[in-house]
């Protein structure tokens, strides 16, 4: 059993901390106390030991922000609204921060092989040591600065993705309350569950890597330009093979996308069957339909598994082409360079190998990037179609007196009591006071012989004084 915490201590722990200093924000030093407390307390770590969540990141705030962006999108494009555009507006300043961070980090990465070339040339020619020291210092500075930029861009990207995930889940959960039964019947229960779980989770999984994905086009363009400057025409042969490989991988990505859509439809159908079986569990058990229900679910699950196997095979072929071909192209390029120039300096080899590594990484990630973006786009499209349904549920109007339209107001007092009904059904009969067993009488009726609940009151001008039974 957990001991009761001192309110003063709890208030002190969750009170907003002062803004961290520049160095603390730069190197994420504000996170060290949290890590230290987690290691020290272990399983005893409680929510009160964590810093307070900023008000701007609370579920209520982020859901309201995305709802406002979605409402603006509906106002501009009522016939064909785009949820991705609304999410782009929701990101706000996070998008330029991620893009600028990706470009700056890529430039710092590609500068390092050039500095390595300078250092190797210095060793081969016995040059000035001050130039070598400057090259080493530049490599260290680029590595440190690249790490800082990368971590801050990751932080901005992950925070925006989690806030979007929370906001999407909140909007999906809230949407059925604004629809009538007729409008809501267009979507099965399994689809609604998949929207809040699989589709929102798919966006979260992809959204956390937007910064990394954004850096890949910059990295491919810059590393290819440096390799062309370094190797000349022989590099074009390898580049042509790599581009052709990307096209083939792209075709595989289209097939993976189609299989992903088919798998989602089968998953929705399976969810519907499982939910129906659980809701009618008593009937299933009563008629011993367990085998029939299991057979129906297994049939749909088999179709879903067939699509999963297809996706796995296509991804295996895609991974082979993505990782195998770029590595194999490096050797022929060096052979052609040797034949053309009749020399292959060590500085050129080391610099080209480092640049090829960057180019290979970007070309490997780009097809996967397209696949992941497609997967997230499919999920966002599904969510957008649901959120785009016009809100058509109207709550009952409330009159000036505070009562909903169509309600009956009881005035002049009313009485409720337990009774058998014999005295009440007599012509002109009535009880001047509640019998024994009413709320004001004292004793309760026997639990095994509970009489009906009687009512007597004045309904105003609408009805005369009457008595009714509530079973």
């Amino acid at each position: 059993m957990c001991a009761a915490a001192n309110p003063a201590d709890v208030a002190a722990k969750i009170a907003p901390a002062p803004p961290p200093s520049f160095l603390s924000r730069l190197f994420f030093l504000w996170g060290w106390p949290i890590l230290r407390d987690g290691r020290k307390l272990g399983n005893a770590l409680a929510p009160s030991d964590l810093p307070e969540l900023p008000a701007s990141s609370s579920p209520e705030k982020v859901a309201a922000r995305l709802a406002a962006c979605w409402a603006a999108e509906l106002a501009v494009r009522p016939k064909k609204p785009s949820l991705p555009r609304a999410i782009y507006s929701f990101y706000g300043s996070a998008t330029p921060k991620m893009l600028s961070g990706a470009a700056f980090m890529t430039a710092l990465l590609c500068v390092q092989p050039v500095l390595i070339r300078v250092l190797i040339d210095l060793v081969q020619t016995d040059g000035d040591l001050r130039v070598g020291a400057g090259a080493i210092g530049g490599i260290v500075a680029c590595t440190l600065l690249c790490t800082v930029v990368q971590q801050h861009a990751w932080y901005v990207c992950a925070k925006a993705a989690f806030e979007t995930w929370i906001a999407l889940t909140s909007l999906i959960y809230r949407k059925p309350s604004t629809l009538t039964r007729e409008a809501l019947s267009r979507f099965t229960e399994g689809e609604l569950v998949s929207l809040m779980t699989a589709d929102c989770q798919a966006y979260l999984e992809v959204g956390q890597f937007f910064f990394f994905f954004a850096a890949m086009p910059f990295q491919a363009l810059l590393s290819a330009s440096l390799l062309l400057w370094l190797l000349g025409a022989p590099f074009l042969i390898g580049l042509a093979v790599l581009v052709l490989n990307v096209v083939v991988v792209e075709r595989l990505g289209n097939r993976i996308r189609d299989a992903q859509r088919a798998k989602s439809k089968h998953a929705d159908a399976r969810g519907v069957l499982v939910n129906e079986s659980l809701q009618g569990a008593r009937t299933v058990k009563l008629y011993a339909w367990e085998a029939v229900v299991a057979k129906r679910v297994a049939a749909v699950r088999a179709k879903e598994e067939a699509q999963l196997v297809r996706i796995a095979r296509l991804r295996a072929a895609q991974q082979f082409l993505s990782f195998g071909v770029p590595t194999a192209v490096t050797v022929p390029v060096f052979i052609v360079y040797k034949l053309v120039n009749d020399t292959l300096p060590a500085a050129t080899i080391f610099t080209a190998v480092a640049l090829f590594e960057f180019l290979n990484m970007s070309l490997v990630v780009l097809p996967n990037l397209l696949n992941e973006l497609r997967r997230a786009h499919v999920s966002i499209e599904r969510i957008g179609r649901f959120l785009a349904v016009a809100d058509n549920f109207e709550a009952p109007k409330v009159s000036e007196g505070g009562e909903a339209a169509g309600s009956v107001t009881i005035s002049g007092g009313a009485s409720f009591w337990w009774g058998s009904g014999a005295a009440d059904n007599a012509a002109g009969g009535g009880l001047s006071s509640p019998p024994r067993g009413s709320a004001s009488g004292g004793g309760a009726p026997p639990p095994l012989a509970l009489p009906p609940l009687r009512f007597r009151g004045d309904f105003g001008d609408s009805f005369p004084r009457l008595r009714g039974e509530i079973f």
Side-chain angles (χ1 to χ4, degrees), residues 181-196:
R181 287 184 177 271
E182 181 181 0
L184 193 58
S185 63
R186 295 163 50 186
F187 302 90
T188 64
E189 186 175 353
E191 288 178 323
L192 297 181
V193 173
S194 295
L195 290 177
M196 286 191 292

Side-chain angles (χ1 to χ4, degrees), residues 197-214:
T197 54
D199 292 311
C200 289
Q201 184 67 24
Y203 179 82
L204 177 61
E205 293 173 355
V206 178
Q208 296 181 77
F209 297 95
F210 278 164
F211 159 72
F212 182 68
F213 292 154

Side-chain angles (χ1 to χ4, degrees), residues 7-219:
D9 296 339
V10 174
K13 290 178 180 178
I14 66 175
S21 62
F22 173 75
L23 291 178
S24 178
R25 294 196 302 269
L26 184 63
F27 296 105
F28 294 95
L29 300 180
W30 52 267
W32 281 103
I34 304 174
L35 298 176
R36 184 184 63 246
D37 292 343
R39 181 178 181 182
K40 180 180 178 181
L41 298 176
N43 294 333
L45 186 69
S48 58
D49 297 313
L50 302 177
E52 186 182 41
L53 183 69
S56 59
S57 299
S58 63
E60 295 81 4
K61 294 290 185 180
V62 297
R65 281 170 46 206
L66 183 57
C69 295
W70 180 240
E73 178 67 21
L74 289 174
V76 176
R77 302 174 182 85
K79 294 184 178 180
K80 197 174 181 180
S82 174
L83 185 57
R85 277 194 291 263
I87 294 177
Y88 176 79
S89 301
F90 175 78
Y91 267 51
S93 61
T95 301
K97 288 180 180 179
M98 288 188 294
L99 294 178
S100 59
F104 189 42
M105 182 195 72
T106 302
L108 292 173
L109 285 175
C110 292
V111 166
Q112 296 181 42
V114 178
L115 294 175
I116 293 175
R117 176 184 174 86
V118 173
L119 192 60
I120 295 176
D121 282 336
L122 182 67
V123 172
Q124 289 180 327
T125 59
D126 196 15
D128 191 355
L129 292 179
R130 290 176 296 180
V131 177
I136 294 175
I139 294 174
V140 174
C142 287
T143 303
L144 179 61
L145 190 57
C146 179
T147 302
V148 173
V149 172
Q150 181 184 20
Q151 294 302 319
H152 276 273
W154 275 116
Y155 174 74
V156 172
C157 181
K159 180 181 177 183
F162 271 96
E163 289 182 349
T164 307
W165 171 61
I166 294 172
L168 287 174
T169 306
S170 301
L171 293 183
I172 296 171
Y173 185 81
R174 185 188 306 167
K175 184 66 177 181
S177 63
T178 65
L179 302 177
T180 60
R181 287 184 177 271
E182 181 181 0
L184 193 58
S185 63
R186 295 163 50 186
F187 302 90
T188 64
E189 186 175 353
E191 288 178 323
L192 297 181
V193 173
S194 295
L195 290 177
M196 286 191 292
T197 54
D199 292 311
C200 289
Q201 184 67 24
Y203 179 82
L204 177 61
E205 293 173 355
V206 178
Q208 296 181 77
F209 297 95
F210 278 164
F211 159 72
F212 182 68
F213 292 154
M216 292 302 103
F218 295 110
Q219 185 169 314

Side-chain angles (χ1 to χ4, degrees), residues 277-293:
S277 302
L278 293 177
Q279 292 176 1
R282 292 185 177 180
T283 304
V284 172
K285 297 296 291 184
L286 177 63
Y287 292 99
W289 286 346
E290 292 89 343
V292 177
V293 171

